[in-house]
Amino acid sequence: MKHNKVGSVMTTDVVSAEYRTPFKEVARLLADRRISGLPVVDDDDKVIGVVSETDLVTRQSEALDTDGTRRRFRFAAGRTPGARRQAARSRAFTAGQLMTAPPVTVHAEETIAEAARTMVQHHVERLPVLDEEDRLVGIVTRRDLLQVFLRPDAEIRGEVIEEVLVGTLRLAPTAVDVFVVEGVVTLTGRLARRSETEIAVSMTKQIDGVVAVIDQLTYRFDDSRLSPGEWSPRGLAHDRQRDL
């Protein structure tokens, strides 16, 4: 499908920082652009980490922890790796010292579903988007991914007809009745083979903005038990003509 790639919904105007970008400049960028995080890149535009509002707030709170009531525990706590990292972060003055690494990223050619899965697994709100050479080309947020469900029903219906019926199955545009209401697609009609109905339903589910698919398709011939040698090498269109 031509719309279900991360590159189609990402923001290309990316706000980023370098390793040496000062703490206050990072805070200013987040505030001015009203964003919750930004990628940190090297001189080759490769993403080496991500700085979030949480990182900045954590740094400030940890800086306070090095004084006052916790001072008498500093020596004992400093023996553990976690405590040493905490102490180092409390003294951080640049994006590189503050950032979380390694970064969680996604490639522009990955699907929106894959990006959503990555966000959920890693509990992040945004992902730096990389090109084929792993260079930063965009940023995608949860809000961006949700935009696909705002596609008009008519636009979804048009893609089902063009991409699935005509483009893949080589059927006439009217071979299947396609109804779309609030993103729910209903497919009704009779096709030559069972495999065609399965392809139609499977591919329709992959279209951006489709909430669910109601399968009301029937078929004239059940080809699910055919061996590979019984398939025509010329494809579905040839098989359909042979069946007639």
Side-chain angles (χ1 to χ4, degrees):
M1 298 300 150
K2 59 185 178 182
H3 296 292
N4 66 353
K5 303 297 184 182
V6 171
S8 68
V9 296
M10 70 181 184
T11 298
T12 56
D13 181 19
V14 188
V15 181
S16 62
E18 299 178 346
Y19 188 95
R20 57 185 175 274
T21 302
F23 176 96
K24 282 194 173 182
E25 178 62 19
V26 173
R28 187 178 299 112
L29 287 170
L30 295 179
D32 290 348
R33 298 299 292 265
R34 297 182 180 181
I35 54 179
S36 60
L38 53 81
V40 181
V41 299
D42 62 14
D43 294 337
D44 199 31
D45 278 338
K46 301 288 183 68
V47 181
I48 57 176
V50 174
V51 176
S52 68
E53 291 175 329
T54 301
D55 293 323
L56 269 65
V57 173
T58 300
R59 187 268 188 195
Q60 291 300 89
S61 66
E62 289 173 350
L64 291 175
D65 286 346
T66 62
D67 299 316
T69 57
R70 298 193 182 184
R71 180 175 298 170
R72 64 181 180 273
F73 301 112
R74 190 185 310 169
F75 178 76
R79 295 177 179 175
T80 67
R84 285 196 294 270
R85 286 194 298 269
Q86 179 176 330
R89 177 166 291 203
S90 71
R91 297 189 297 270
F93 292 104
T94 68
Q97 295 169 333
L98 284 166
M99 70 185 184
T100 298
V104 180
T105 61
V106 67
H107 283 83
E109 287 303 307
E110 291 187 50
T111 66
I112 289 174
E114 289 169 334
R117 191 176 303 115
T118 298
M119 285 185 178
V120 171
Q121 289 175 345
H122 294 274
H123 307 287
V124 295
E125 298 289 333
R126 59 182 58 235
L127 293 169
V129 183
L130 313 180
D131 63 13
E132 294 178 351
E133 298 180 348
D134 289 337
R135 290 188 172 89
L136 180 67
V137 292
I139 201 87
V140 65
T141 66
R142 291 193 177 192
R143 181 174 297 180
D144 294 328
L145 300 186
L146 289 174
Q147 290 299 314
V148 300
F149 293 105
L150 301 181
R151 293 184 70 193
D153 289 340
E155 185 176 313
I156 295 173
R157 180 177 184 274
E159 186 168 346
V160 173
I161 293 172
E162 281 189 39
E163 299 291 336
V164 180
L165 302 184
V166 177
T168 300
L169 295 174
R170 299 293 189 268
L171 297 169
T174 56
V176 171
D177 291 326
V178 182
F179 304 96
V180 185
V181 179
E182 295 295 328
V184 178
V185 180
T186 301
L187 302 176
T188 304
R190 184 177 177 84
L191 298 180
R193 296 181 173 232
R194 177 176 178 173
S195 59
E196 292 178 315
T197 67
E198 293 172 346
I199 291 172
V201 172
S202 176
M203 292 192 67
T204 298
K205 287 180 178 178
Q206 298 177 47
I207 291 177
D208 288 349
V210 172
V211 176
V213 177
I214 298 175
D215 178 10
Q216 295 182 349
L217 295 172
T218 60
Y219 48 86
R220 293 194 295 275
F221 176 64
D222 185 354
D223 57 348
S224 61
R225 297 183 179 180
L226 289 180
S227 65
E230 295 179 274
W231 284 91
S232 166
R234 301 184 186 181
L236 290 171
H238 178 265
D239 289 338
R240 189 180 303 110
Q241 292 297 323
R242 187 182 65 183
D243 293 338
L244 295 177

